[in-house]
Amino acid sequence: MKSKEEKVKIITKEFVGEGEDAEEERQKKPSKVPRPKRKKQLPAAGCEEMVSENSPVDDQQEPVQEASDTRLLGVTSRRGPRSLPPIPSASRTGFAEFSMRERMREKLQAARSKAESALLQDIPTPRPRRLRSPTEKESETEFGTELAREVQRTQQEHDSQGYSRVKFHDSVRKIKSKPPVPPGFPSAEEAYNFFTFNFDPEPEESEEKPKAKNRHGANQEEKEGEEEEPPVQEGVSKTGEEEWLDGKEAEDLLLGLDHAAEDFVAVRPAEYESVHVRLQKEKELLFVPSRRTVPTYKKLPENVQPRYLEDEGLYIGARPEVPRINQNIMENRLLTQEPGRRWFGDDGRILALPNPIKPVPSRPPTWTREQDVKAELETQYKKAVKYIHRSQHLIGSGDSPGNFQLDIDISGLIFTHHPCFSREHVLAAKLAQLYDQYLARRQRNKAKFLTDKLHALRNAVQVGLNPAKTPKTLETTPKTINEYKSEIRQTRKLRDAEEEKDRTLLKTIIKVWKEMKSLREFQRFTNTPLKLVLRKEKVDQKADEEAYEAEIQAEINELLEEHTEEYEQKMEVYRVTQQQWKAWKKAQRAKKKKKKQEVEEHSANEEREQPGPGEEPEKPAPPEPVDRAVIEQQVREKAAQSRRRPGEPTLIPELSLAGSVTPNDQCPRVEVMRREDVKRRSLFLKVTFNNKEVSRTESRPLGADFRVHFGQIFNLQIFNWPESLTLQIYETAGHSGTTLLAEVFLPIPETTVVSGRAPIEEVEFSSNQHVTLDHEGVGSGVPFSFEADGSNQLILMTSGKVSNSVAWAIGENGIPLIPPLSQQNIGFRSALKRADAISSIGTSGLTDMKKLAKWAAESKLDPNDPSNGPLMQLISVATSGESYIPGFFRLEQLQQEFNFVSDEELNRSKRFRLLLLRSQEVPEFRHYKQIPLYDREIMERVFQDYEKRLRDRNVIETKDHIDTHRATVAKCLQQVRESVINRFLIAKHHFLLSDLIVEEEVPNISILGLSLFKLAEQKRPLRPRRKGRKKVTAQNLSDGDIKLLVNIIRAYDIPVRKPTASKFHQTSRSSRTFAEKHAASPTTHSPAHSADYPLGQVSVRPFVEVSFQRTICHTTTAEGPNPSWNEELELPFRAPNGDYSTTSLQSVKDDVFINIFDEVLYDVLEDDRERGSGIHTRIERHWLGCVKIPFSTIYFQARIDGTFKIDIPPVLLGYSKEQSVMMERGFDSVRSLSEGSYITLFITLEPQLVPGESVREKFDSQEDEKLLQATEKFRAECTLKFPTRQCLTTVVDISGKTVFVTRYLKPLNPPQELLNAYPNNPQATAELVARYVSLIPFLPDTVSFAGVCDLWSTSDQFLDLLAGDEEEHAVLLCNYFLSMGKKAWLVTGNAIPEGPTAYVLTQEQSHYLIWNPCSGHFYGQFDTFCPLKSVSCLIGPDNFSGFPLHMPYSEMKPLIEAVYSTGVHNIDAPNVEFALAVYVHPYPKNVLSVWIYVASLIRNR
Amino acid sequence: MAAAGPSVFLLMVNGQVESAQFPEYDDLYCKYCFVYGQDWAPTAGLEEGISQITSKSQDARRALVWNFPIDVTFKSTNPYGWPQIVLSVYGPDVFGNDVVRGYGAVHVPLSPGRHKKTIPMFVPESTSKLQKFTSWFMGRRPEYTDPKVVAQGEGREVTRVRSQGFVTLLFNVVTKDMRKLGYDTGPLDTHGISGPSPPQGLPR
């Protein structure tokens, strides 16, 4: 309580702004404060008072006084709040500022709480109690009855106002006691004050008044209250609802004190939760755990000592690290919970698992790939696959739907050991095995064979030794005899070994049989029906003995011979060494003698010392002579050991199953159990093919003799070559599961092995299983012994033999159902790997027969040995028939297997052929799209062109050409082109980095400098220059992407109309006049013309029409002979076949025709009366001239900018040149050389295309290597000095070889006719020659040999071909000039529009002339309009136009094109007629000049 | 002709350029186009497209998601030249220049069904250190003259590239008449043996 009060006080003090320092004031203030407060509290107070009505009514005043006393005397702190300025005044009257009001309210609140606390405090103290009994009562009621009913907050408020209520209490009681007197007067009065008074602005006043009131005392207060009742009423009425409520309550409680209830002003504060209340409530709800360490005993159950597991030696992992404070907080928190202790372990700490964090840093899985966890969980969609025979995979398409068949015959199974074998069985098996061996040996009878051989050899030796019988083999005899003898020795040894083996085997058989017999006796029952009978074969004792003796003797003799031979050899050696030794000895002796003479006494010592050094060779011992007796003894001993004794009967064992097996009831239990066990067992085999089970045999019981008979034949229908064929042997014992005993791998039969011929083979198997049985069965893989003492342990594993046969089946028609050989090799690599490498490629077995034969000869294979039979046969075949052995080595022997289809198939199929041709980039098919799938969909005519071309390669077709020569030339050119294109195609597949990657150049200093300089440049220069544009590689372009931009700027010296020729000029209506211009020229060169011009008459109205690829654009019409258009025309460009590759762009042969027309207007009105209302004119265009520029030039130049001479036909009807205008300009002297009209053009492509690179291939040369190097060096130097200049030293001739350019230039006589034409005028002759040369058709290299560098043909070739480009023309012209005695040079350089080109320069008397070889024009060295180009046509006069077209003849097509370009047919005038005349002028060497006259005739009125 | 069976087969590819992983770059967009052989022709849909610009996701994956749909149908007579999709990814560098961030190509899956492919992307390298610097500085990195270069093998030996980033593509492939025309692109059968005929001596 105390602390709370303190807190409240502090808060109050904070709120109380002003009253803290002035104690006085505070003491006075309260008297005033309660009043307003009281007023506000009235209803509440009233209620309370009413409630506490039963409280003593006496000393009404007293308490008040007391209260005031106490207040005055007592605790200042309590009074503090009451010194507040009256709050209600603010809230009620509303004349104070809002902030003020708020502050008041806060203060009031504080005051209330204060008061309440004060009251509460008062309760225990008796004295104050007495003083404030009413208060006490009140508080009692409050805490007692009211508490239950009223909201606590209200109660608290009331509480807090306890003190003020004390006062009210009195007044209320007064009201009650004296009804006439309205209760609560003082408060009413105060309320009045409250309402009427403005306390805040005048605090002094407000203070004054309360002081006064205080002085008046309580009585006064009462009066005041009475007096001021009405205002209170008013106040009450203002606060309607509250009052009513309170009043009602009051009614309930106060026994009809309506009056009072009405009187009380019910004022209630806004609901507010004070801070401390909130805190308290929070305290109830919230809990702040302490941070202090919790003592251990708190955490453990009572009377339990903490137990530390770690100390007891138990492992406790490291706990995760948690700060101590956090732990404390957690512990505290847990302890407050109900079952808090269960969180703690025995040691009083919070239970914790060991730290899960690994101390070793590890990398989290990377997220770079998308394969996150979900990828593994993701459901994979897999289409259900219907099972189909995929035979087409395995068998070549189109083959018979052959199912191949493999017959597997499984006849049975015999165990050579089985866990259920009894000991007897083991022996029986052994016996049977041995007997089998014996039988096999007897069948082979090697010993007999070897014996025979020995006899034969001996005979041979005998024969050989007798020279009389074989005289011819005299010289070879010793050698052969020696060979025979050595062979005899070998054979004897072998025979002895074999005989010994036979004998041992027999012995072993008998021994085993004996063992078995003893075993049977021992165990007293018989398990196996096995019975061995030894049959004795009597032999003729005498003969046998003789043979035996003879054999021994022979052997002895041989051995003796051998030994003697050996002895001889040894003797020889001995003799030699003996001699040496003797010689040495002699020498020694001589030495000794010398020494003896010198020092005799020392001789003894000497002799001893001499041999000391050990140089003395041992004295050779003579070899022992051969002792016949010894040898004989040896031989006999051996014979006794290994051979049947003479006279002894031959023993032949015979094994039979005749024995009887002891029945079960006579056998001991263990044996019965064993037999039962055997009976329970059954076996079956699984046949697996390529590791897949394909079938299985029936399950057959294991017989008592451990044989299983199956006798089943499986016909495996297979589709693919078998890789493996396995039999799996399964054993079922009773009802327990099956066990895999063993796997038997069967060999895949040779293709020759077919059903019916296959022998039954026995394939052994063995298992490594360990079986121990609890009966007589010996088990498998476990040791057992036959001996009683357990010695001689044996370990036998389950093993056996499967008899089977595998063969290829034979089909109905007798053909073996064997997969074809090719199939074996194609998809089955693994099979090949396993099989013999050689046999896999088709030949089975060894290939090198020669080597085989050699080996057979060296190893001395016995040709008579039956086992060598097949081999010997092979060898004999191989060695005899030499042709059988391939004398070659096959390269890529597997190639055929990899062939997609056979060549015939490839040729037969149209589709394959088409694909092949396309991939070879044959021009006709290079861009063939969507080759059809089936042959039948490919039209035959697809190939027609191609085939025709192939056929025509050598046939000269004359149909398309006028004369055969042309055809030949065209063909030749075509062939050259083809070969060059092929070369180019190869080169095209060589890529450079720049072909693939666009990379910015590293800016060098100059570029940087330029760019810096550019900064200072004018932003908008007056004369802007054309800027370079980014080049585009022509790869990803399509139709319409490329546009040809033709900028027509101006023209000079356009021919003007002859006024005399046209009477229509009068009708032509043109507003502008040429007169000013014309008049401006003072002197007229041709006065006749000027005279003819009527003033205001336009001489010409030219416009330009550009046609390209049959698209036509034209400019507006300008006027006068020197028009200026400055117009840009845009023409679309279409590449052939939509192929925008560099190659195809280079081969575009289209030309851009720039035609100049004169626009002539005709008035077509026939009636002058209509002239006022309308104008009817017909526009005629008259062709004036043309400029032709090949597209290839534009493409390679990227832009063409310059002034060109317009080709004006020689005859232009109705027009004349108006030459006077420019005369005064000063260069007329120069111009006189090149008269004509000129047009200034700028042509480019949008976007700019990157021209194709020339082939980067180096062509080989036949020139001298040194010279080539020298020229290369020179060229490099030139390039260094003048990087922009094109220095030409070597060129490529027509056969693709590099030659020096100088080789082309040599004087060449021009045709005599030309020279004879103007015998006296060399200049005219020269012009004629030039004209002649220019008449040879022009064919740019770039067109014919797309993208390839220039090919230069010699003049001879040029004249033969009659086609060529600038170089050829220039070379020819130059050669002619040279022969004419002129000094002539070939000039290479850049010209417009040709680009890099060749001209001819001739030196005349005083000046140089530049000849354009292609046009025949020549220019002076100072000619400004030098670069020009030709091919011409012509336009006629106005009414009667006819165009003479003149061009060198090459083919029909360009002519047609040229005529078309003039647009003469584009006349829409009615009744137009056309006329055509062609004149061809022949020149020598088939050079033709063609004149075409086209006329359109319009009937003139 | 129609009665004789189909003469072309159809390949329908739809799917989307899902997302990319370019750990160093942001705000990328991608272009795709198809490269196919001469026997192929698109019959429906767009064979080229350019996506919106995408920014990195804020989560740990840092994925650049486009989800840019692809839907195109080809017809063909020959599986040779099977369509490949060529992707090129671009985005701003530090100076805000638009530079290429990766090229990549992958064949449209041969077998019908749903396939998710992640293609590693690469960009051509500058030819020298100096070039590299200047290209970085000027924001003009080396680029292929034609992105389709990455779908062909010819001439690649002259280039050097650096790999950066991955793009994940989702394909749904439907084919028509391929099997009829003898091309089997179905899911791989259990290789080796197709079943031999049921064994005759089999008891069960």
Side-chain angles (χ1 to χ4, degrees), chain A residues 305-588:
Chain A
Q305 284 297 313
R307 181 173 157 228
Y308 297 102
L309 291 173
E310 206 163 3
D311 295 346
E312 293 171 25
L314 293 173
Y315 172 75
I316 290 160
R319 297 163 72 94
E321 268 184 41
V322 181
R324 189 68 224 169
I325 285 180
N326 286 355
Q327 275 189 51
N328 291 341
I329 290 170
M330 192 63 187
E331 285 175 0
N332 279 313
R333 195 177 287 148
L334 290 171
L335 279 174
T336 55
Q337 288 178 7
E338 196 44 53
R341 277 191 189 130
R342 69 164 185 205
W343 292 98
F344 297 99
D346 291 340
D347 55 352
R349 301 180 71 184
I350 296 177
L351 290 169
L353 288 172
N355 192 353
I357 297 164
K358 259 194 252 173
V360 188
S362 66
R363 240 176 115 94
T366 45
W367 296 90
T368 48
R369 299 292 299 250
E370 201 66 0
Q371 269 68 19
D372 49 1
V373 190
K374 276 183 184 166
E376 278 122 49
L377 299 173
E378 210 169 60
T379 315
Q380 289 266 331
Y381 168 74
K382 277 236 170 126
K383 207 185 154 210
V385 185
K386 204 180 148 195
Y387 178 81
I388 334 163
H389 286 302
R390 296 292 176 97
S391 52
Q392 69 267 24
H393 274 305
L394 310 162
I395 293 153
S397 56
D399 278 11
S400 62
N403 293 341
F404 306 119
Q405 193 172 319
L406 201 62
D407 288 350
I408 301 170
D409 182 352
I410 300 169
S411 57
L413 175 72
I414 305 164
F415 278 102
T416 51
H417 183 76
H418 190 270
C420 289
F421 267 26
S422 66
R423 285 181 170 74
E424 191 185 336
H425 277 101
V426 174
L427 288 177
K430 203 171 167 187
L431 187 62
Q433 208 178 333
L434 287 169
Y435 186 68
D436 281 351
Q437 213 176 327
Y438 168 78
L439 284 182
R441 284 194 75 86
R442 202 170 72 165
Q443 203 190 345
R444 262 163 59 201
N445 208 352
K446 199 123 186 197
K448 177 86 170 46
F449 166 75
L450 288 168
T451 314
D452 289 352
K453 190 180 173 183
L454 204 59
H455 283 302
L457 284 168
R458 276 174 188 156
N459 283 339
V461 173
Q462 286 298 320
V463 170
L465 284 174
N466 192 346
K469 279 180 185 170
T470 53
K472 51 189 172 186
T473 57
L474 199 64
E475 61 270 31
T476 54
T477 307
K479 200 185 156 201
T480 40
I481 284 174
N482 276 342
E483 275 180 16
Y484 282 148
K485 280 182 177 168
S486 71
E487 202 148 314
I488 285 169
R489 256 167 255 160
Q490 292 285 334
T491 317
R492 203 177 55 223
K493 269 180 201 161
L494 282 172
R495 188 209 52 190
D496 288 350
E498 286 294 323
E499 281 184 338
E500 198 175 340
K501 269 184 201 162
D502 278 347
R503 219 176 148 70
T504 352
L505 185 62
L506 195 63
K507 275 182 186 166
T508 327
I509 288 174
I510 294 163
K511 189 184 159 230
V512 171
W513 172 239
K514 275 179 182 160
E515 272 179 42
M516 202 161 147
K517 273 201 286 190
S518 64
L519 184 71
R520 279 178 182 167
E521 274 167 30
F522 172 74
Q523 67 188 12
R524 288 181 199 156
F525 59 85
T526 314
N527 264 339
T528 50
L530 232 53
K531 199 174 177 185
L532 189 78
V533 179
L534 285 171
R535 197 154 51 80
K536 281 183 190 171
E537 250 180 37
K538 287 266 169 106
V539 282
D540 183 3
Q541 176 110 13
K542 205 175 176 192
D544 200 35
E545 251 171 46
E546 270 170 20
Y548 186 76
E549 198 55 41
E551 177 66 26
I552 285 178
Q553 284 306 322
E555 201 174 327
I556 289 167
N557 283 339
E558 278 161 25
L559 280 174
L560 207 60
E561 210 170 289
E562 264 174 57
H563 282 285
T564 324
E565 240 171 60
E566 207 175 305
Y567 175 75
E568 289 294 319
Q569 278 175 7
K570 278 183 182 167
M571 265 326 263
E572 193 61 39
V573 174
Y574 167 73
R575 259 179 229 128
V576 173
T577 43
Q578 180 83 1
Q579 293 253 315
Q580 283 172 353
W581 186 79
K582 271 181 181 163
W584 182 81
K585 202 79 182 168
K586 228 177 227 171
Q588 287 288 335

Side-chain angles (χ1 to χ4, degrees), chain A residues 992-1023:
Chain A
L992 282 186
L993 181 68
S994 55
D995 296 339
L996 290 176
I997 289 176
V998 187
E999 192 175 23
E1000 289 281 299
E1001 293 279 314
V1002 176
N1004 56 26
I1005 293 295
S1006 64
I1007 292 173
L1008 282 174
L1010 265 177
S1011 56
L1012 280 175
F1013 180 71
K1014 266 183 193 157
L1015 292 175
E1017 212 176 26
Q1018 280 170 304
K1019 286 291 170 213
R1020 302 189 62 177
L1022 285 174
R1023 190 165 173 271

Side-chain angles (χ1 to χ4, degrees), chain A residues 181-190 192 219-232:
Chain A
V181 188
F185 269 123
S187 60
E189 184 230 324
E190 273 179 7
Y192 177 77
N219 293 329
Q220 253 189 339
E221 272 184 294
E222 275 175 40
K223 276 175 192 167
E224 275 170 2
E226 276 170 55
E227 283 163 18
E228 287 171 13
E229 221 211 337
V232 176

Side-chain angles (χ1 to χ4, degrees), chain A residues 368 387 694-695 715 717 719-720 915 918 926 930-931 933-934 937 989 991 993 995-1000 1002, chain B residues 7 21 38-39 41 75 77-78 124 126-127 131 140 142-145 154-155 158 181 192 195-197 199-200:
Chain A
T368 48
Y387 178 81
V694 288
S695 51
N715 302 322
Q717 300 220 327
F719 295 99
N720 28 16
L915 286 167
R918 185 176 70 180
R926 201 184 313 162
Q930 295 245 331
I931 290 175
L933 248 164
Y934 296 115
E937 292 168 18
H989 289 278
F991 286 88
L993 181 68
D995 296 339
L996 290 176
I997 289 176
V998 187
E999 192 175 23
E1000 289 281 299
V1002 176
Chain B
S7 61
Q21 296 281 342
Q38 286 181 315
D39 294 323
K75 73 171 178 187
T77 58
N78 192 353
S126 296
T127 43
Q131 286 270 35
R140 303 291 300 265
E143 287 182 27
Y144 283 120
T145 51
E154 204 176 36
V158 298
L181 296 174
S197 67
Q200 293 169 358

Side-chain angles (χ1 to χ4, degrees), chain A residues 115-116 119 135 138 157-166:
Chain A
E116 179 203 37
L119 283 171
T135 322
E138 266 180 33
E157 278 168 19
H158 296 174
D159 266 355
S160 65
Q161 291 166 354
Y163 183 75
S164 51
R165 255 179 264 135
V166 173

